[in-house]
mmCIF file of all heavy atoms in Angstrom:
data_model
loop_
_atom_site.group_PDB
_atom_site.id
_atom_site.type_symbol
_atom_site.label_atom_id
_atom_site.label_comp_id
_atom_site.label_asym_id
_atom_site.label_seq_id
_atom_site.Cartn_x
_atom_site.Cartn_y
_atom_site.Cartn_z
ATOM 1 N N GLN A 40 12.474 7.479 -3.025
ATOM 2 C CA GLN A 40 12.003 8.256 -4.137
ATOM 3 C C GLN A 40 10.990 7.430 -4.979
ATOM 4 O O GLN A 40 9.996 7.958 -5.423
ATOM 5 C CB GLN A 40 13.180 8.685 -4.991
ATOM 6 C CG GLN A 40 14.083 9.721 -4.299
ATOM 7 C CD GLN A 40 15.309 10.008 -5.090
ATOM 8 O OE1 GLN A 40 15.684 9.323 -6.013
ATOM 9 N NE2 GLN A 40 16.016 11.086 -4.711
ATOM 10 N N ALA A 41 11.331 6.174 -5.208
ATOM 11 C CA ALA A 41 10.486 5.334 -6.112
ATOM 12 C C ALA A 41 9.100 5.147 -5.512
ATOM 13 O O ALA A 41 8.094 4.938 -6.215
ATOM 14 C CB ALA A 41 11.176 4.043 -6.372
ATOM 15 N N ALA A 42 9.017 5.101 -4.132
ATOM 16 C CA ALA A 42 7.735 4.840 -3.469
ATOM 17 C C ALA A 42 6.779 5.996 -3.506
ATOM 18 O O ALA A 42 5.675 5.894 -3.133
ATOM 19 C CB ALA A 42 7.998 4.367 -2.041
ATOM 20 N N GLU A 43 7.214 7.173 -3.967
ATOM 21 C CA GLU A 43 6.385 8.369 -3.879
ATOM 22 C C GLU A 43 5.197 8.285 -4.837
ATOM 23 O O GLU A 43 4.083 8.599 -4.470
ATOM 24 C CB GLU A 43 7.193 9.616 -4.245
ATOM 25 C CG GLU A 43 6.426 10.902 -4.172
ATOM 26 C CD GLU A 43 7.257 12.119 -4.409
ATOM 27 O OE1 GLU A 43 8.466 11.998 -4.758
ATOM 28 O OE2 GLU A 43 6.719 13.248 -4.209
ATOM 29 N N ASP A 44 5.408 7.768 -6.015
ATOM 30 C CA ASP A 44 4.310 7.722 -6.978
ATOM 31 C C ASP A 44 4.499 6.521 -7.857
ATOM 32 O O ASP A 44 5.224 6.613 -8.865
ATOM 33 C CB ASP A 44 4.215 9.019 -7.760
ATOM 34 C CG ASP A 44 3.026 9.021 -8.697
ATOM 35 O OD1 ASP A 44 2.057 8.213 -8.448
ATOM 36 O OD2 ASP A 44 2.989 9.808 -9.664
ATOM 37 N N ARG A 45 3.938 5.374 -7.537
ATOM 38 C CA ARG A 45 4.157 4.147 -8.306
ATOM 39 C C ARG A 45 2.869 3.685 -8.964
ATOM 40 O O ARG A 45 1.777 3.977 -8.450
ATOM 41 C CB ARG A 45 4.728 3.024 -7.401
ATOM 42 C CG ARG A 45 6.056 3.329 -6.791
ATOM 43 C CD ARG A 45 6.641 2.105 -6.074
ATOM 44 N NE ARG A 45 6.875 1.072 -7.050
ATOM 45 C CZ ARG A 45 8.007 0.945 -7.770
ATOM 46 N NH1 ARG A 45 8.870 1.892 -7.691
ATOM 47 N NH2 ARG A 45 8.160 -0.093 -8.613
ATOM 48 N N PRO A 46 2.939 2.980 -10.069
ATOM 49 C CA PRO A 46 1.793 2.404 -10.649
ATOM 50 C C PRO A 46 1.288 1.229 -9.774
ATOM 51 O O PRO A 46 1.909 0.905 -8.779
ATOM 52 C CB PRO A 46 2.288 1.885 -12.029
ATOM 53 C CG PRO A 46 3.771 1.632 -11.764
ATOM 54 C CD PRO A 46 4.179 2.720 -10.834
ATOM 55 N N PRO A 47 0.116 0.676 -10.090
ATOM 56 C CA PRO A 47 -0.421 -0.389 -9.311
ATOM 57 C C PRO A 47 0.629 -1.489 -9.011
ATOM 58 O O PRO A 47 1.350 -1.936 -9.888
ATOM 59 C CB PRO A 47 -1.543 -0.943 -10.131
ATOM 60 C CG PRO A 47 -2.028 0.205 -10.943
ATOM 61 C CD PRO A 47 -0.703 0.996 -11.239
ATOM 62 N N SER A 48 0.718 -1.894 -7.755
ATOM 63 C CA SER A 48 1.750 -2.841 -7.351
ATOM 64 C C SER A 48 1.240 -4.284 -7.242
ATOM 65 O O SER A 48 0.090 -4.481 -6.895
ATOM 66 C CB SER A 48 2.251 -2.406 -5.944
ATOM 67 O OG SER A 48 3.033 -3.432 -5.336
ATOM 68 N N PRO A 49 2.100 -5.234 -7.549
ATOM 69 C CA PRO A 49 1.616 -6.622 -7.323
ATOM 70 C C PRO A 49 1.368 -6.959 -5.895
ATOM 71 O O PRO A 49 0.701 -7.929 -5.599
ATOM 72 C CB PRO A 49 2.845 -7.498 -7.881
ATOM 73 C CG PRO A 49 4.005 -6.526 -7.817
ATOM 74 C CD PRO A 49 3.445 -5.176 -8.065
ATOM 75 N N PHE A 50 1.851 -6.107 -4.957
ATOM 76 C CA PHE A 50 1.567 -6.363 -3.555
ATOM 77 C C PHE A 50 0.250 -5.703 -3.153
ATOM 78 O O PHE A 50 -0.108 -5.781 -1.985
ATOM 79 C CB PHE A 50 2.721 -5.778 -2.705
ATOM 80 C CG PHE A 50 4.032 -6.441 -2.894
ATOM 81 C CD1 PHE A 50 5.008 -5.939 -3.701
ATOM 82 C CD2 PHE A 50 4.227 -7.651 -2.273
ATOM 83 C CE1 PHE A 50 6.200 -6.550 -3.815
ATOM 84 C CE2 PHE A 50 5.443 -8.384 -2.436
ATOM 85 C CZ PHE A 50 6.428 -7.810 -3.252
ATOM 86 N N GLY A 51 -0.453 -5.159 -4.123
ATOM 87 C CA GLY A 51 -1.760 -4.588 -3.837
ATOM 88 C C GLY A 51 -2.761 -5.584 -3.246
ATOM 89 O O GLY A 51 -3.736 -5.205 -2.522
ATOM 90 N N ILE A 52 -2.557 -6.840 -3.514
ATOM 91 C CA ILE A 52 -3.443 -7.924 -2.951
ATOM 92 C C ILE A 52 -3.452 -7.873 -1.443
ATOM 93 O O ILE A 52 -4.357 -8.298 -0.795
ATOM 94 C CB ILE A 52 -2.976 -9.292 -3.464
ATOM 95 C CG1 ILE A 52 -4.081 -10.340 -3.084
ATOM 96 C CG2 ILE A 52 -1.698 -9.714 -2.944
ATOM 97 C CD1 ILE A 52 -5.402 -10.180 -3.789
ATOM 98 N N LEU A 53 -2.368 -7.324 -0.890
ATOM 99 C CA LEU A 53 -2.226 -7.251 0.603
ATOM 100 C C LEU A 53 -3.338 -6.299 1.196
ATOM 101 O O LEU A 53 -3.687 -6.398 2.360
ATOM 102 C CB LEU A 53 -0.894 -6.739 0.991
ATOM 103 C CG LEU A 53 0.310 -7.645 0.642
ATOM 104 C CD1 LEU A 53 1.584 -6.901 0.993
ATOM 105 C CD2 LEU A 53 0.243 -8.952 1.290
ATOM 106 N N ALA A 54 -3.855 -5.404 0.340
ATOM 107 C CA ALA A 54 -4.780 -4.397 0.833
ATOM 108 C C ALA A 54 -6.193 -4.911 0.902
ATOM 109 O O ALA A 54 -7.075 -4.306 1.449
ATOM 110 C CB ALA A 54 -4.751 -3.185 -0.121
ATOM 111 N N LYS A 55 -6.458 -6.098 0.382
ATOM 112 C CA LYS A 55 -7.835 -6.602 0.346
ATOM 113 C C LYS A 55 -8.355 -6.811 1.800
ATOM 114 O O LYS A 55 -7.787 -7.592 2.561
ATOM 115 C CB LYS A 55 -7.880 -7.919 -0.391
ATOM 116 C CG LYS A 55 -9.308 -8.429 -0.602
ATOM 117 C CD LYS A 55 -9.267 -9.751 -1.443
ATOM 118 C CE LYS A 55 -10.712 -10.249 -1.616
ATOM 119 N NZ LYS A 55 -10.721 -11.492 -2.413
ATOM 120 N N GLU A 56 -9.397 -6.144 2.122
ATOM 121 C CA GLU A 56 -10.045 -6.189 3.454
ATOM 122 C C GLU A 56 -9.084 -5.895 4.568
ATOM 123 O O GLU A 56 -9.333 -6.383 5.731
ATOM 124 C CB GLU A 56 -10.700 -7.581 3.600
ATOM 125 C CG GLU A 56 -11.756 -7.877 2.576
ATOM 126 C CD GLU A 56 -12.413 -9.235 2.836
ATOM 127 O OE1 GLU A 56 -12.019 -9.959 3.763
ATOM 128 O OE2 GLU A 56 -13.336 -9.588 2.031
ATOM 129 N N GLU A 57 -8.010 -5.211 4.291
ATOM 130 C CA GLU A 57 -7.107 -4.847 5.385
ATOM 131 C C GLU A 57 -7.727 -3.661 6.226
ATOM 132 O O GLU A 57 -8.166 -2.698 5.669
ATOM 133 C CB GLU A 57 -5.785 -4.340 4.775
ATOM 134 C CG GLU A 57 -4.720 -3.835 5.764
ATOM 135 C CD GLU A 57 -4.419 -4.886 6.810
ATOM 136 O OE1 GLU A 57 -3.738 -5.892 6.422
ATOM 137 O OE2 GLU A 57 -4.729 -4.693 8.008
ATOM 138 N N ARG A 58 -7.672 -3.849 7.571
ATOM 139 C CA ARG A 58 -8.313 -2.891 8.417
ATOM 140 C C ARG A 58 -7.350 -2.268 9.418
ATOM 141 O O ARG A 58 -7.742 -1.407 10.212
ATOM 142 C CB ARG A 58 -9.468 -3.541 9.235
ATOM 143 C CG ARG A 58 -10.607 -4.030 8.347
ATOM 144 C CD ARG A 58 -11.368 -2.875 7.705
ATOM 145 N NE ARG A 58 -12.474 -3.302 6.904
ATOM 146 C CZ ARG A 58 -12.448 -3.522 5.603
ATOM 147 N NH1 ARG A 58 -11.258 -3.332 4.926
ATOM 148 N NH2 ARG A 58 -13.458 -3.949 4.931
ATOM 149 N N ARG A 59 -6.094 -2.679 9.437
ATOM 150 C CA ARG A 59 -5.128 -2.192 10.432
ATOM 151 C C ARG A 59 -4.593 -0.804 10.089
ATOM 152 O O ARG A 59 -4.139 -0.140 10.993
ATOM 153 C CB ARG A 59 -3.972 -3.184 10.537
ATOM 154 C CG ARG A 59 -4.277 -4.448 11.335
ATOM 155 C CD ARG A 59 -3.062 -5.323 11.421
ATOM 156 N NE ARG A 59 -2.582 -5.714 10.043
ATOM 157 C CZ ARG A 59 -1.420 -6.388 9.889
ATOM 158 N NH1 ARG A 59 -0.645 -6.631 10.959
ATOM 159 N NH2 ARG A 59 -1.025 -6.738 8.708
ATOM 160 N N PHE A 60 -4.650 -0.442 8.794
ATOM 161 C CA PHE A 60 -3.992 0.820 8.381
ATOM 162 C C PHE A 60 -5.019 1.720 7.653
ATOM 163 O O PHE A 60 -5.812 1.214 6.905
ATOM 164 C CB PHE A 60 -2.821 0.563 7.475
ATOM 165 C CG PHE A 60 -1.841 -0.412 8.057
ATOM 166 C CD1 PHE A 60 -1.854 -1.766 7.655
ATOM 167 C CD2 PHE A 60 -0.856 -0.028 8.937
ATOM 168 C CE1 PHE A 60 -0.936 -2.694 8.157
ATOM 169 C CE2 PHE A 60 0.074 -0.925 9.407
ATOM 170 C CZ PHE A 60 0.009 -2.235 9.059
ATOM 171 N N PRO A 61 -4.893 3.043 7.861
ATOM 172 C CA PRO A 61 -5.637 3.952 7.003
ATOM 173 C C PRO A 61 -5.263 3.774 5.536
ATOM 174 O O PRO A 61 -4.089 3.356 5.272
ATOM 175 C CB PRO A 61 -5.223 5.341 7.540
ATOM 176 C CG PRO A 61 -4.695 5.076 8.910
ATOM 177 C CD PRO A 61 -4.078 3.750 8.909
ATOM 178 N N PRO A 62 -6.101 3.968 4.540
ATOM 179 C CA PRO A 62 -5.766 3.708 3.151
ATOM 180 C C PRO A 62 -4.478 4.339 2.686
ATOM 181 O O PRO A 62 -3.660 3.699 1.951
ATOM 182 C CB PRO A 62 -7.019 4.237 2.424
ATOM 183 C CG PRO A 62 -8.114 4.137 3.432
ATOM 184 C CD PRO A 62 -7.480 4.448 4.730
ATOM 185 N N HIS A 63 -4.257 5.609 3.035
ATOM 186 C CA HIS A 63 -3.049 6.284 2.510
ATOM 187 C C HIS A 63 -1.778 5.739 3.170
ATOM 188 O O HIS A 63 -0.690 5.698 2.506
ATOM 189 C CB HIS A 63 -3.137 7.790 2.727
ATOM 190 C CG HIS A 63 -2.984 8.253 4.122
ATOM 191 N ND1 HIS A 63 -4.030 8.077 5.033
ATOM 192 C CD2 HIS A 63 -1.987 8.815 4.798
ATOM 193 C CE1 HIS A 63 -3.708 8.584 6.219
ATOM 194 N NE2 HIS A 63 -2.422 9.040 6.108
ATOM 195 N N VAL A 64 -1.902 5.266 4.416
ATOM 196 C CA VAL A 64 -0.719 4.618 5.053
ATOM 197 C C VAL A 64 -0.413 3.289 4.390
ATOM 198 O O VAL A 64 0.712 2.915 4.113
ATOM 199 C CB VAL A 64 -0.995 4.447 6.541
ATOM 200 C CG1 VAL A 64 0.037 3.529 7.187
ATOM 201 C CG2 VAL A 64 -1.049 5.773 7.232
ATOM 202 N N LEU A 65 -1.479 2.478 4.126
ATOM 203 C CA LEU A 65 -1.314 1.195 3.468
ATOM 204 C C LEU A 65 -0.712 1.351 2.083
ATOM 205 O O LEU A 65 0.165 0.598 1.655
ATOM 206 C CB LEU A 65 -2.635 0.474 3.441
ATOM 207 C CG LEU A 65 -2.585 -0.994 2.871
ATOM 208 C CD1 LEU A 65 -1.668 -1.832 3.777
ATOM 209 C CD2 LEU A 65 -3.999 -1.544 2.841
ATOM 210 N N THR A 66 -1.145 2.363 1.393
ATOM 211 C CA THR A 66 -0.568 2.683 0.020
ATOM 212 C C THR A 66 0.915 2.930 0.148
ATOM 213 O O THR A 66 1.732 2.374 -0.681
ATOM 214 C CB THR A 66 -1.255 3.880 -0.590
ATOM 215 O OG1 THR A 66 -2.642 3.578 -0.751
ATOM 216 C CG2 THR A 66 -0.663 4.217 -1.947
ATOM 217 N N GLN A 67 1.336 3.755 1.120
ATOM 218 C CA GLN A 67 2.796 3.982 1.276
ATOM 219 C C GLN A 67 3.577 2.703 1.585
ATOM 220 O O GLN A 67 4.666 2.461 1.072
ATOM 221 C CB GLN A 67 3.002 5.047 2.366
ATOM 222 C CG GLN A 67 2.536 6.427 2.012
ATOM 223 C CD GLN A 67 2.685 7.416 3.139
ATOM 224 O OE1 GLN A 67 3.837 7.826 3.349
ATOM 225 N NE2 GLN A 67 1.669 7.704 3.885
ATOM 226 N N LEU A 68 3.015 1.914 2.502
ATOM 227 C CA LEU A 68 3.635 0.649 2.865
ATOM 228 C C LEU A 68 3.828 -0.291 1.667
ATOM 229 O O LEU A 68 4.880 -0.844 1.448
ATOM 230 C CB LEU A 68 2.897 -0.025 3.948
ATOM 231 C CG LEU A 68 2.886 0.582 5.372
ATOM 232 C CD1 LEU A 68 1.886 -0.039 6.271
ATOM 233 C CD2 LEU A 68 4.274 0.529 5.989
ATOM 234 N N ILE A 69 2.763 -0.417 0.869
ATOM 235 C CA ILE A 69 2.769 -1.254 -0.283
ATOM 236 C C ILE A 69 3.838 -0.730 -1.284
ATOM 237 O O ILE A 69 4.588 -1.419 -1.927
ATOM 238 C CB ILE A 69 1.403 -1.362 -0.943
ATOM 239 C CG1 ILE A 69 0.479 -2.204 0.001
ATOM 240 C CG2 ILE A 69 1.503 -2.025 -2.300
ATOM 241 C CD1 ILE A 69 -0.928 -2.233 -0.458
ATOM 242 N N ASN A 70 3.814 0.615 -1.540
ATOM 243 C CA ASN A 70 4.772 1.202 -2.461
ATOM 244 C C ASN A 70 6.184 0.954 -2.047
ATOM 245 O O ASN A 70 7.114 0.721 -2.852
ATOM 246 C CB ASN A 70 4.472 2.692 -2.597
ATOM 247 C CG ASN A 70 3.249 2.959 -3.436
ATOM 248 O OD1 ASN A 70 2.690 2.063 -4.049
ATOM 249 N ND2 ASN A 70 2.768 4.238 -3.470
ATOM 250 N N LEU A 71 6.454 1.152 -0.704
ATOM 251 C CA LEU A 71 7.837 0.869 -0.223
ATOM 252 C C LEU A 71 8.192 -0.562 -0.427
ATOM 253 O O LEU A 71 9.311 -0.916 -0.862
ATOM 254 C CB LEU A 71 7.853 1.237 1.257
ATOM 255 C CG LEU A 71 7.935 2.731 1.612
ATOM 256 C CD1 LEU A 71 7.726 2.937 3.108
ATOM 257 C CD2 LEU A 71 9.303 3.316 1.193
#
C-alpha cells in the first residue's frame, strides 16, 4: 500500500542513468 504513491525517495539516486528498467517500473521498484 505504501509503495503506491510515495514522495521522492532517498533511493531515487539509483535511477540515475539506469537503463535496465522502464521509468514506471523503476519507480515502483524504488517505492517498494
